């Protein structure tokens, strides 16, 4: 165990975080940069005294559970998590599950886009979206967090088939199932991922048949043509931007400039805004 290295790493990572990064209010003026020690301790579910001793190089060797809590509290990437474990004299092992925190810069970019966009994690949970994406696909805010998942929408409802058509959703189904199989290897200890697979196998004979093939691969093509009930057919180019340190993807739905599809997206933008302003 490298006590001094661990202490310095914890301090630097704590000072690099802002309260807004972890969902905390800024509160009164802070005398030091970053989070307070008691805030990190609370997020990591440990005592402030124990965390303070670790940051001062005086604490006992932390357990794997403590290190996992610290990695979660400090919003560490997979590489940073591995470094934390090795400083404490532990081998990292597989990450507990796909990161759910979306970088602040990605959220800001999403909010300023004039095209539909959303952020997916490795198990196709929709972590963030802009109003145009909600108007295009579904109002994710109206769904329970557990149901904000493109695979649940595809296999356990008819929503995606209605939007993208049968052929496109069949292709998506096969590629996404192979992608999900890869995620189970990356995150073998994630109970939410295991539950998702169980629910899909039990609730969809189609998914169960595809899953039994044991195909493994990364999903590449997410969409081509959308049949929207309000604005009609939209031919989209689906751009996928990878955020590798978070194992997340930013999915952008764009159309050819000047095309009828681009005009449909602009109309959808207006309709979506009107719905937002008139909603009680």
């Amino acid at each position: 165990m490298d006590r001094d290295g661990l202490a310095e790493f914890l301090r630097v990572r704590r000072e690099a975080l802002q309260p807004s990064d972890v969902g905390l209010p800024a509160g009164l003026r802070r005398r030091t940069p970053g989070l307070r020690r008691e805030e990190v301790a609370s997020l990591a579910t440990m005592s402030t005294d124990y965390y303070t001793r670790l940051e001062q190089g005086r604490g006992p060797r932390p357990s794997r559970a403590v290190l996992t809590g610290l990695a979660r509290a400090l919003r560490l990437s997979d590489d940073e998590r591995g470094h934390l474990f090795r400083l404490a004299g532990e081998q990292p092992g597989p990450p507990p599950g796909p990161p759910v925190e979306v970088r602040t810069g990605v959220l800001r970019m999403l909010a300023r886009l004039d095209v539909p966009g959303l952020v997916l994690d490795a198990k196709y949970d929709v972590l963030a979206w802009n109003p145009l994406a909600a108007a295009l696909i579904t109002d994710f805010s109206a769904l329970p967090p557990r149901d904000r998942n493109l695979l649940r929408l595809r296999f356990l409802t008819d929503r995606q088939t209605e939007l993208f058509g049968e052929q496109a959703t069949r292709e998506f189904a096969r590629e996404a199932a192979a992608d999900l199989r890869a995620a189970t290897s990356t995150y073998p200890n994630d109970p939410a991922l295991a539950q998702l697979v169980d629910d899909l196998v039990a609730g969809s004979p189609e998914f169960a048949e595809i899953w039994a093939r044991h195909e493994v691969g990364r999903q590449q093509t997410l969409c081509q043509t959308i049949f929207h009930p309000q604005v009609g057919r939209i031919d989209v180019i689906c751009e996928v931007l990878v955020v590798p340190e978070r194992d997340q993807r930013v999915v952008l739905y764009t159309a050819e400039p000047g095309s009828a599809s681009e005009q449909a997206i602009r109309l959808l933008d207006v309709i979506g805004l009107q719905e937002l302003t008139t909603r009680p």
Side-chain angles (χ1 to χ4, degrees):
M1 176 180 174
D2 182 353
R3 294 181 185 277
D4 292 338
L6 176 63
E8 183 177 5
F9 182 69
L10 291 175
R11 178 183 57 78
V12 170
R13 296 308 305 157
R14 173 177 62 80
E15 292 179 351
L17 283 174
Q18 299 302 314
S20 59
D21 295 332
V22 297
L24 294 175
L28 300 176
R29 183 176 179 181
R30 292 170 177 255
R31 292 177 296 177
T32 58
L35 297 181
R36 300 185 178 97
R37 287 171 176 168
E38 58 267 27
E39 291 171 333
V40 173
S42 176
L43 292 168
T45 63
M46 66 178 63
S47 72
T48 302
D49 178 67
Y50 182 24
Y51 175 77
T52 299
R53 283 187 287 138
L54 286 176
E55 196 175 289
Q56 292 176 345
R58 301 184 294 109
R61 179 174 177 173
S63 66
R64 297 183 65 86
V66 167
L67 294 170
T68 297
L70 287 170
R72 180 182 65 250
L74 295 171
R75 302 300 194 259
L76 300 184
S77 67
D78 288 345
D79 289 340
E80 291 166 339
R81 177 180 177 274
H83 182 63
L84 172 70
F85 271 69
R86 283 185 284 271
L87 286 173
E90 294 280 354
Q91 288 302 311
V100 299
E101 297 82 16
V102 181
R103 281 174 19 197
T104 302
V106 173
L107 293 175
R108 289 173 180 163
M109 177 190 71
L110 202 63
R112 286 163 172 76
L113 289 174
D114 61 355
V115 299
L118 50 82
V119 180
L120 302 176
D121 71 3
K123 59 178 182 289
Y124 287 76
D125 277 351
V126 181
L127 304 178
W129 60 91
N130 61 15
L132 256 177
L136 179 69
I137 301 174
T138 192
D139 184 1
F140 295 106
S141 65
L143 299 175
R146 178 175 175 271
D147 293 337
R148 296 172 190 168
N149 180 280
L150 292 191
L151 297 182
R152 290 186 185 276
L153 290 175
R154 166 61 181 87
F155 290 105
L156 303 181
T157 74
D158 295 327
R159 178 61 177 165
Q160 282 201 317
T161 302
E162 293 171 356
L163 278 176
F164 299 108
E166 291 188 6
Q167 180 177 351
T169 52
R170 279 198 300 269
E171 295 174 358
F172 170 80
R174 179 178 177 181
E175 292 183 1
D179 200 1
L180 191 65
R181 176 75 71 175
T184 61
S185 299
T186 305
Y187 307 103
N189 300 321
D190 182 16
L193 178 56
Q195 186 64 58
L196 173 63
V197 173
D198 289 346
D199 290 347
L200 293 173
V201 169
S204 170
E206 178 189 11
F207 179 84
E209 188 274 328
I210 297 173
W211 189 251
R213 300 176 191 172
H214 284 262
E215 294 178 336
V216 181
R218 284 297 182 181
Q219 214 270 347
Q220 298 296 326
T221 56
L222 293 177
C223 58
Q224 293 129 354
T225 300
I226 298 172
F227 302 94
H228 196 276
Q230 291 176 292
V231 299
R233 174 172 174 155
I234 309 174
D235 295 312
V236 294
I237 303 166
C238 197
E239 300 289 349
V240 180
L241 310 178
V242 179
V243 186
E245 72 274 13
R246 299 289 176 95
D247 199 5
Q248 295 170 359
R249 282 166 280 185
V250 181
V251 183
L252 306 178
Y253 301 87
T254 66
E256 288 290 338
S259 66
S261 294
E262 185 186 44
Q263 293 175 10
I265 291 177
R266 299 280 69 81
L267 177 58
L268 191 61
D269 191 6
V270 174
I271 294 172
L273 289 173
Q274 288 177 344
E275 290 180 345
L276 287 174
T277 56
T278 59
R279 184 177 300 167

